[in-house]
Amino acid sequence: MPSKASLGLAVSIFVVSIWGIVSALSWPSKAALFPLVISIPLACLAAVEVVWVVLGAAAKNDASDFKLSDHLPRSVTLRRTALAIGWILGFFAAILLAGFPVAVPLFVFLYLRIQGKEGWTFSAIFTLVVWGGFYLLFDQLLHLPFPAGWIRAWLG
């Protein structure tokens, strides 16, 4: 019996990625590049997952969907889940307020320092490497303009 949650998630991802492909095809080629690079492999992987779940290959192993922390007390799993959701929402807020080029290194640095409890040197170096990769890929190679965050737009 295929897992309804896995099947539903895979079908949902497939539908959204197909919608992304169809939407991006009407855009100028430069604007469509990024969504197509993401959506096409995602659609393929989601289709494979649908077939895998329907044929029962996923049920043959010992892994269970959404059963990651049975050995921990419920309060611990809820606290960890809330913390992860908080980090995600904080990242989205940083993107809205400051824009991607500022939010990415800010998030990486804060996550390493606060959640990962890494040292200042490692956090700073790793953040610089991530920011450099982000800048080289999206700004220099793909020339993707990112909207300014609300703060930068408000300040002019």
Side-chain angles (χ1 to χ4, degrees):
M1 170 101 188
S3 167
K4 290 179 184 176
S6 290
L7 184 59
L9 181 63
V11 168
S12 299
I13 291 172
F14 180 75
V15 168
V16 169
S17 60
I18 293 297
W19 172 73
I21 293 168
V22 171
S23 296
L25 289 175
S26 64
W27 297 354
S29 61
K30 197 171 190 180
L33 178 63
F34 184 71
L36 290 175
V37 165
I38 299 300
S39 297
I40 291 171
L42 186 61
C44 294
L45 291 171
V48 168
E49 178 67 16
V50 168
V51 171
W52 191 328
V53 170
V54 169
L55 294 180
K60 293 180 183 174
N61 61 22
D62 292 336
S64 297
D65 293 334
F66 305 111
K67 197 174 180 183
L68 302 175
S69 304
D70 279 351
H71 64 286
L72 296 173
R74 184 165 174 79
S75 62
V76 172
T77 58
L78 289 175
R79 183 175 46 82
R80 288 180 180 177
T81 302
L83 189 61
I85 291 170
W87 278 106
I88 292 169
L89 293 176
F91 182 53
F92 288 154
I95 292 169
L96 281 174
L97 294 173
F100 267 104
V102 174
V104 169
L106 178 68
F107 176 79
V108 169
F109 184 78
L110 291 176
Y111 189 82
L112 287 172
R113 283 292 300 145
I114 296 169
Q115 188 67 31
K117 296 177 178 54
E118 295 293 341
W120 287 99
T121 305
F122 177 80
S123 298
I125 291 171
F126 195 81
T127 299
L128 285 173
V129 169
V130 168
W131 178 82
F134 180 86
Y135 177 76
L136 287 173
L137 176 63
F138 294 112
D139 192 54
Q140 297 298 307
L141 184 64
L142 296 175
H143 304 291
L144 290 177
F146 287 105
W150 291 350
I151 293 172
R152 286 178 44 203
W154 181 69
L155 294 174

